[in-house]
């Protein structure tokens, strides 16, 4: 019996952890757009929803195209520049993924962003989006990270692709259903002897 329980636990561990993402996208600040004092950056999510995959062992990962970001702050034509007002605007960027497995939750990855005041025609970085991995705990000791690559832009009309990687960092502890103990042969023999003794005693009382 113990061997069968162990085999069942090992099979469950090999089956891995199912991940299901039902929605994803960007939430961005009011400082982006086309117009005076707005930074010309557009965001488009492209992850197919729902997306499902299985990760079996710590270190296993799955990567997908999350979205595209385009920098096109072309106000002023060839002499376009990022103004102090544009750089000081609300340039917050958050990537989000909504999971239904292995937990029901929306995971957010908040980026650090920055726009550099000055001309766009030079080779320097004009705008950047930097993400740090987000750690998510689930189940009985399980955890995974959500990571997106950093993006930087050095001129107008540049489109960068955001990739999301989900990495299993700790597998949850396997759970096994409670088992019903099987009586040992000796216990069965004692039980049978006891029942036989009760039957003999009952017959003697009837005979008396």
């Amino acid at each position: 019996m113990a061997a069968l329980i162990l085999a069942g636990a090992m099979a469950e561990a090999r089956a891995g952890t199912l991940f299901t993402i039902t929605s994803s996208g960007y939430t961005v600040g009011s400082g982006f757009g086309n117009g005076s004092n707005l930074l010309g950056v557009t965001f488009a999510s492209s992850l197919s929803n729902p997306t499902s995959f299985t990760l079996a062992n710590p270190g296993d990962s799955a990567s997908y195209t999350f979205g595209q970001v385009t920098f096109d702050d072309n106000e002023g034509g060839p002499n376009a520049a990022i103004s102090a007002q544009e750089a000081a605007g609300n340039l917050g960027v958050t990537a989000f993924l909504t999971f239904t497995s292995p937990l029901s939750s929306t995971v957010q990855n908040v980026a650090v962003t920055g726009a550099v005041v000055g001309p766009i025609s030079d080779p320097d970085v004009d705008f950047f989006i930097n993400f740090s991995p987000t750690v998510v705990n689930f189940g009985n000791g399980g955890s995974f990270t959500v990571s997106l690559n950093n993006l930087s832009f050095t001129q107008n009309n540049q489109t960068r692709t955001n990739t999301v990687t989900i990495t299993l960092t700790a597998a949850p502890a396997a759970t096994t259903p409670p088992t019903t103990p099987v009586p040992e042969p000796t216990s069965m023999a004692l039980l049978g002897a006891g029942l036989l003794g009760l039957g003999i005693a009952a017959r003697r009382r009837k005979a008396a």
Side-chain angles (χ1 to χ4, degrees):
M1 179 63 70
L4 291 176
I5 294 174
L6 178 60
M10 292 177 64
E12 181 176 352
R14 284 195 296 269
T17 300
L18 174 65
F19 289 78
T20 301
I21 301 169
T22 55
S23 63
S24 60
Y26 297 100
T27 302
V28 301
S30 58
F32 297 107
N34 294 318
S36 178
N37 299 331
L38 296 178
L39 192 64
V41 181
T42 56
F43 299 80
S45 58
S46 59
L47 181 63
S48 298
N49 297 312
T51 297
S52 294
F53 53 93
T54 299
L55 302 179
N57 302 302
D60 289 353
S61 64
S63 297
Y64 299 90
T65 298
F66 183 85
Q68 287 78 35
V69 181
T70 300
F71 178 75
D72 190 15
D73 196 60
N74 56 14
E75 294 176 10
N79 298 317
I82 297 176
S83 67
Q85 290 82 0
E86 289 174 328
N90 178 8
L91 304 180
V93 176
T94 301
F96 69 88
L97 300 98
T98 301
F99 291 82
T100 56
S101 179
L103 77 169
S104 295
S105 178
T106 296
V107 177
Q108 296 186 333
N109 196 317
V110 180
V112 175
T113 66
V116 180
V117 176
I120 295 174
S121 57
D122 61 25
D124 298 330
V125 172
D126 299 303
F127 176 63
F128 65 86
I129 307 173
N130 291 341
F131 292 95
S132 295
T134 299
V135 179
V136 183
N137 298 317
F138 70 95
N140 185 11
S143 65
F144 64 93
T145 60
V146 175
S147 304
L148 290 95
N149 60 303
N150 298 330
L151 307 176
S152 63
F153 304 84
T154 58
Q155 62 186 35
N156 269 331
N157 301 313
Q158 282 186 330
T159 298
R160 306 297 194 203
T161 298
N162 236 172
T163 300
V164 62
T165 300
I166 293 91
T167 303
L168 183 68
T169 51
T175 57
T176 55
T179 58
T180 302
V182 177
E184 297 292 335
T186 304
S187 301
M188 293 293 291
L190 290 174
L191 178 60
L195 292 174
L196 179 61
L198 289 174
I200 293 173
R203 285 196 296 273
R204 287 177 177 173
R205 283 196 297 270
K206 288 180 180 180

